[in-house]
Amino acid sequence: MKILVLGGGAREHAIVKALIRTGTPAENIVVAPGNAGIAGDVRCVAIDPNSPLETTKFALEHQIELAIIGPEAPLVAGVSDALRSEGIAVFGPSQLAAQLEGSKSFAKEVMAAADVPTGMARECTTIAEVESAIDDFGAPYVVKADGLAAGKGVIVTSDRKAAIAHAEKFIDGGILVEEFLAGEEVSLFFLSDGVNVMPLTPAQDFKRAFDNDQGPNTGGMGAYSPLPWLPAGFVEEVQRTVAEPTVGELSRLGSPFIGLLYCGLIVTERGIRVIEFNARFGDPETQVVLRRLTTPLAGLLYAAALGNLETAPEPQFTKEVAITVVLASEGYPETSAPSRPIHGLHHAAAIEGVEICHAATAQGPEHLMATGGRVLSVVAVGQDFAQARHRAYEAIGHIKLEGSHYRKDIAKKVAH
Ligand code: AMP
Ligand code: GLY
């Protein structure tokens, strides 16, 4: 089967590695646009993943049988609809269904209609409304941009002024003020064929920039899987109370969700609450979830794309644990650094159980260069978290990039 993967981050690199590890020949995979690391594993092509026209033309010319859409931007741009209308199997929801991620107010409406547990929230279109909402809910304040904001649209703060300043930045696209929910965060992915859902395995993402959950929210600085502290029956409960009703509601609305339903959850004292949906694989959670997958990934995604998920085998995962640590450029997420050389990757990748997924890298004339905020993910597996952490941190210690930073506490609390 010829597969086109759209995107060029560490998530897409992890998808490519998982496809190959679970049986897809590397020569059957092409990535647009990819990055310097992905190009080391499979062919990359310089087409715009956000262009319905370019991606469809390429897919038809190259007899692509399955398109896997990594990031949210192509979904929101309608790339899956364009590919599907040409008869190509697509793992990635339609533009309409992707509104589950693209519009937080739409997601809230779907959850309300489907009776899915989530935080109380108020939609605001003026700063006066935001002020009155945050005063009603009280501190800590949770202020969310309604539309896509690359992981930077949400602020959680007890500083009223900072909450208002954040709202001012995003007010034109609408603001959602939400009640603060306390508890552990869990990311749980479901494959969906529009009707049926199938869970993968839970992971935890580290959203804040610095150790001990300090600093601003980011796209994600690290992750681990599985989550040994989850109560028995957790996955089944999320499937029954969140994933199935949500997919059912979208189907009723005439926009079936075919792709990956990312459930961002908080386990509160009063039960599980959804804090966000995404319409695609999470980054960096995918690096750990797919690292543990042993079932052929291409078959699972193809079955979902064709609406045949009930015929697919249940996804299996190794007993090994996995952690990933993101290496970020100086100033991330607030400012961007100039392009700088990266050294020591070979050394890092040579460590047992370690794999490097590239995100913002490009091959320069002499050196591999870091070209963006989240530069790469170091992924390590182990018999337990102590071993996986040891491997990941030893590997990342070999990587030299001026000004770069990473969190030192990924999976720390589960490593004994
Ligand atoms: P989101 O983009 O909606 O996932 O929000 C980004 C991060 O903000 C989440 O991963 C949480 O850490 C935090 N967050 C979002 N909503 C809430 C909430 N209602 N209560 C507490 N923290 C939240
Ligand atoms: N890691 C969070 C996300 O992918 O949105």
Side-chain angles (χ1 to χ4, degrees):
M1 176 161 48
K2 289 190 80 177
I3 300 176
L4 171 65
V5 178
L6 296 183
R11 161 185 49 214
E12 288 74 29
H13 202 177
I15 291 171
V16 165
K17 284 183 182 295
L19 286 168
I20 296 171
R21 186 164 42 241
T22 60
T24 301
E27 58 273 20
N28 290 0
I29 305 170
V30 54
V31 182
N35 59 40
I38 297 175
D41 291 338
V42 297
R43 186 160 83 93
C44 292
V45 289
I47 61 170
D48 178 3
N50 299 328
S51 161
L53 215 68
E54 275 187 49
T55 50
T56 308
K57 185 164 171 281
F58 179 89
L60 289 173
E61 279 172 10
H62 293 81
Q63 288 89 45
I64 295 299
E65 293 162 272
L66 172 65
I68 302 170
I69 302 187
E72 57 276 21
L75 301 171
V76 171
V79 168
S80 16
D81 308 79
L83 288 164
R84 242 179 231 125
S85 71
E86 294 293 344
I88 296 158
V90 183
F91 185 79
S94 67
Q95 193 172 35
L96 265 172
Q99 284 305 304
L100 204 56
E101 169 166 3
S103 161
K104 289 190 189 286
S105 51
F106 176 72
K108 286 288 186 195
E109 283 160 25
V110 170
M111 285 189 271
D115 215 8
V116 169
T118 183
M120 278 185 305
R122 211 181 292 166
E123 284 176 45
C124 305
T125 53
T126 65
I127 293 299
E129 284 171 4
V130 172
E131 288 188 290
S132 119
I134 67 174
D135 292 337
D136 288 350
F137 284 126
Y141 310 114
V142 181
V143 178
K144 302 187 172 187
D146 193 5
L148 290 181
K152 296 171 192 168
V154 176
I155 196 171
V156 180
T157 178
S158 291
D159 178 346
R160 193 173 179 281
K161 275 205 184 105
I164 304 285
H166 184 80
E168 279 167 348
K169 235 182 354 192
F170 292 102
I171 190 74
D172 289 349
I175 289 288
L176 214 69
V177 174
E178 197 169 285
E179 72 172 309
F180 176 78
L181 298 167
E184 288 288 343
E185 282 187 49
V186 180
S187 303
L188 181 56
F189 302 165
F190 289 84
L191 307 176
S192 172
D193 67 2
V195 177
N196 306 290
V197 299
M198 207 177 237
L200 298 183
T201 184
Q204 188 168 56
D205 180 17
F206 290 68
K207 287 252 168 66
R208 300 289 188 121
F210 309 123
D211 284 9
N212 303 316
D213 294 330
Q214 301 298 304
N217 266 319
T218 68
M221 294 297 290
Y224 68 94
S225 171
L227 307 182
W229 41 266
L230 277 178
F234 178 87
V235 170
E236 293 73 15
E237 183 177 346
V238 177
Q239 175 161 348
R240 187 171 39 81
T241 63
V242 177
E244 285 173 354
T246 300
V247 164
E249 178 62 20
L250 285 168
S251 167
R252 259 190 300 283
L253 291 173
S255 43
F257 188 98
I258 301 167
L260 191 119
L261 179 65
Y262 168 129
C263 301
L265 310 158
I266 292 195
V267 187
T268 74
E269 276 175 357
R270 287 174 296 144
I272 297 166
R273 298 284 183 275
V274 174
I275 42 168
E276 68 163 339
F277 284 125
N278 291 317
R280 36 104 195 142
F281 281 102
D283 188 349
E285 296 97 315
T286 300
Q287 286 85 306
V288 289
V289 169
L290 293 188
R291 182 65 187 82
R292 298 182 49 236
L293 179 74
T294 54
T295 313
L297 179 61
L300 289 172
L301 304 189
Y302 194 56
L306 294 182
N308 289 337
L309 209 46
E310 76 277 13
T311 65
E314 210 178 297
Q316 302 292 322
F317 296 88
T318 63
K319 290 227 158 27
E320 281 189 312
V321 305
I323 95 158
T324 186
V325 182
V326 171
L327 183 76
S329 285
E330 183 173 11
Y332 176 79
E334 269 147 359
T335 57
S336 55
S339 184
R340 287 175 178 152
I342 308 169
H343 297 285
L345 274 195
H346 288 296
H347 230 105
I351 294 185
E352 194 181 347
V354 167
E355 184 172 275
I356 314 274
C357 293
H358 290 230
T361 66
Q363 192 56 56
E366 282 178 66
H367 300 293
L368 184 73
M369 305 296 288
T371 57
R374 289 194 294 173
V375 177
L376 53 82
S377 296
V378 171
V379 188
V381 290
Q383 292 307 313
D384 54 34
F385 284 108
Q387 186 181 44
R389 268 174 58 81
H390 185 78
R391 289 171 168 178
Y393 283 107
E394 186 180 352
I396 207 164
H398 286 301
I399 304 176
K400 304 291 173 233
L401 167 62
E402 188 192 331
S404 62
H405 61 100
Y406 59 88
R407 279 184 63 158
K408 316 243 174 352
D409 61 346
I410 308 298
K412 189 171 172 186
K413 75 162 205 200
V414 290
H416 309 291

